[in-house]
Amino acid sequence: MIFEQVATGGCQSYLVGCDETRAAVLIDPALSQIDHYVALAAQNGVRIRYLIDTHTHADHFSATKELARQFDAPVVMQRASPAPFVDMRLGDGEMLVLGQMRLQVLHTPGHTADSMCIQVGDRLFTGDTLLIGGTGRTDLPSGDPEALHESLFGKLLKLDPALLVYPAHDYKGRSHSTIGAEIESNPRLQKRDRAEFVQMMKSLDLSMPTHLTEALRTNMSGGKTVGEMLAEATAHVPFMSMAELRARVESSANELVVLDVREKDAYEAGHIPGARLLPRGQLELRVDKELPDPTARIVTCCEFGRISTLAASTLRTMGFERVVALDGGMKAWLEAGYPTRAGALP
Ligand SMILES: [Fe+2]
């Protein structure tokens, strides 16, 4: 078996492949590691055949949709997954054939309704159903402590005790465990009684994961993260430094249009001398009136340099080919002691 474990910020993802046929899968790949997976697939000389999420993740951004495009392979999830971009939905007892290997699906709802575990040979990829010394939480959307009790005690813990457990998370740098070791020492599995287990799960009082709503939104719908939107905009927008812009606005030969895309209040409190106001929210609707010359040289600016990057990207999409974004924003401009004007433009 070809096997690679990628650990990042407590998330564990896996490349599992067949030695003979060089077919492989990625299990729970994270958006931040895309280049890593592409490199691992090349190093191992494998072709990625399936991209698998063991469940809808609420705490990080899944890379399955993006990698499906890059590797031209289907996204695979459990049948209950709400994500519209899933190409293949698997039910309990079904299998994926990967060269000479068989990936066996166990539906294990509880952490989420669409949680599944995958058994391959001597290994069990447990997602967030069973962690080393823990279990997945049941207080996030579609979580259900009673279902988790059944999935653990009625299903996973009845498997071969020697089976190796590879979870989707470990925050202490451990790579794996076994079913037997977890039965013996996992504190959450000591409450075998259903009511006691449910009571324990309900009283955990865990803090919400960072990016919860954004992760659920993107993982459930296939929409983009804010980071992706910015990275895409940054990749096709040129920038101008603050020092360069300052020199230009102070020169009598300046032809640049400085376009401030903040709201009116922020603009009137202090803007770059000569800057024009066109808030980001009105950009598309007012652009023809405000910027009749599509060949104008334009520099967009905002408070921190992010909205201005998105605005420059929008303008370029609309045909303003000489738009650049300020590398920085009004906050940095003020901190640098560069000149500003207050009030509305005459
Ligand atoms: Fe999870």
Side-chain angles (χ1 to χ4, degrees):
M1 185 189 300
I2 297 162
F3 183 79
E4 300 273 4
Q5 185 168 25
V6 175
T8 165
C11 294
Q12 306 271 357
S13 50
Y14 303 92
L15 182 151
V16 180
C18 167
D19 291 308
E20 282 175 56
T21 62
R22 316 310 288 178
V25 298
L26 285 168
I27 300 175
D28 291 327
L31 198 56
S32 65
Q33 300 297 309
I34 281 189
D35 291 344
H36 196 163
Y37 304 126
V38 172
L40 280 179
Q43 270 169 31
N44 284 283
V46 294
R47 166 96 194 264
I48 302 294
R49 294 288 183 186
Y50 301 102
L51 298 146
I52 304 174
D53 268 322
T54 54
H55 63 287
T56 300
H57 299 286
D59 62 338
H60 68 277
F61 302 107
S62 169
T64 51
K65 180 167 158 271
E66 173 60 27
L67 288 170
R69 205 177 53 75
Q70 292 198 25
F71 288 120
D72 191 22
V75 173
V76 178
M77 287 186 78
Q78 207 280 330
R79 201 169 291 290
S81 163
F85 54 85
V86 174
D87 300 297
M88 191 188 284
R89 294 169 197 273
L90 299 176
D92 190 60
E94 295 178 2
M95 270 185 338
L96 286 177
V97 172
L98 187 72
Q100 302 302 314
M101 296 164 61
R102 299 290 181 269
L103 280 63
Q104 181 87 35
V105 169
L106 296 96
H107 185 206
T108 52
H111 171 59
T112 63
D114 66 354
S115 286
M116 63 179 179
C117 297
I118 300 163
Q119 188 180 346
V120 192
D122 61 350
R123 280 149 218 242
L124 184 68
F125 298 92
T126 54
D128 284 0
T129 301
L130 177 60
L131 307 177
I132 302 172
T135 67
R137 58 198 292 174
T138 53
D139 59 335
L140 297 179
S142 88
D144 178 346
E146 299 198 350
L148 183 63
H149 182 273
E150 178 57 28
S151 292
L152 289 167
F153 292 97
K155 212 174 236 179
L156 286 194
L157 303 182
K158 290 181 173 168
L159 298 173
D160 180 356
L163 207 53
L164 302 173
V165 169
Y166 286 91
H169 289 288
D170 193 78
Y171 300 96
K172 293 183 179 163
R174 297 163 295 196
S175 88
H176 65 280
S177 173
T178 63
I179 292 286
E182 292 310 308
I183 291 174
E184 208 159 283
S185 62
N186 187 323
R188 288 210 191 151
L189 303 183
Q190 305 317 309
K191 301 259 188 240
R192 301 185 61 88
D193 176 72
R194 186 188 187 96
E196 276 183 45
F197 179 84
V198 168
Q199 183 50 40
M200 170 191 66
M201 292 308 293
K202 283 185 173 164
S203 60
L204 288 176
D205 194 24
L206 303 162
S207 59
M208 285 294 126
T210 34
H211 307 299
L212 170 71
T213 50
E214 192 188 12
L216 285 176
R217 174 178 61 74
T218 59
N219 292 339
M220 287 169 70
S221 71
K224 287 181 176 153
T225 65
V226 175
E228 279 178 292
M229 303 268 298
L230 261 176
E232 280 176 22
T234 303
H236 61 262
V237 166
F239 289 84
M240 181 175 284
S241 73
M242 294 198 303
E244 176 73 21
L245 180 59
R246 179 195 184 172
R248 284 171 183 259
V249 297
E250 287 181 342
S251 146
S252 55
N254 178 43
E255 299 172 301
L256 273 178
V257 176
V258 180
L259 196 67
D260 194 320
V261 297
R262 296 174 299 163
E263 295 302 314
K264 190 158 169 268
D265 294 356
Y267 172 86
E268 288 182 353
H271 52 261
I272 295 171
R276 292 167 55 174
L277 172 67
L278 181 47
R280 172 67 186 90
Q282 300 172 30
L283 189 63
E284 289 89 339
L285 297 178
R286 284 178 49 195
V287 71
D288 287 332
K289 187 159 171 277
E290 302 289 331
L291 301 166
D293 178 5
T295 66
R297 291 199 67 184
I298 299 166
V299 185
T300 57
C301 68
C302 66
E303 196 61 26
F304 300 105
R306 295 195 286 263
I307 303 291
S308 56
T309 302
L310 295 169
S313 171
T314 301
L315 286 168
R316 291 181 82 84
T317 308
M318 296 179 85
F320 293 86
E321 288 178 7
R322 299 182 72 197
V323 174
V324 305
L326 181 63
D327 182 20
M330 288 311 293
K331 185 168 182 291
W333 184 273
L334 282 169
E335 281 167 6
Y338 285 8
T340 59
R341 297 280 180 280
L345 263 192

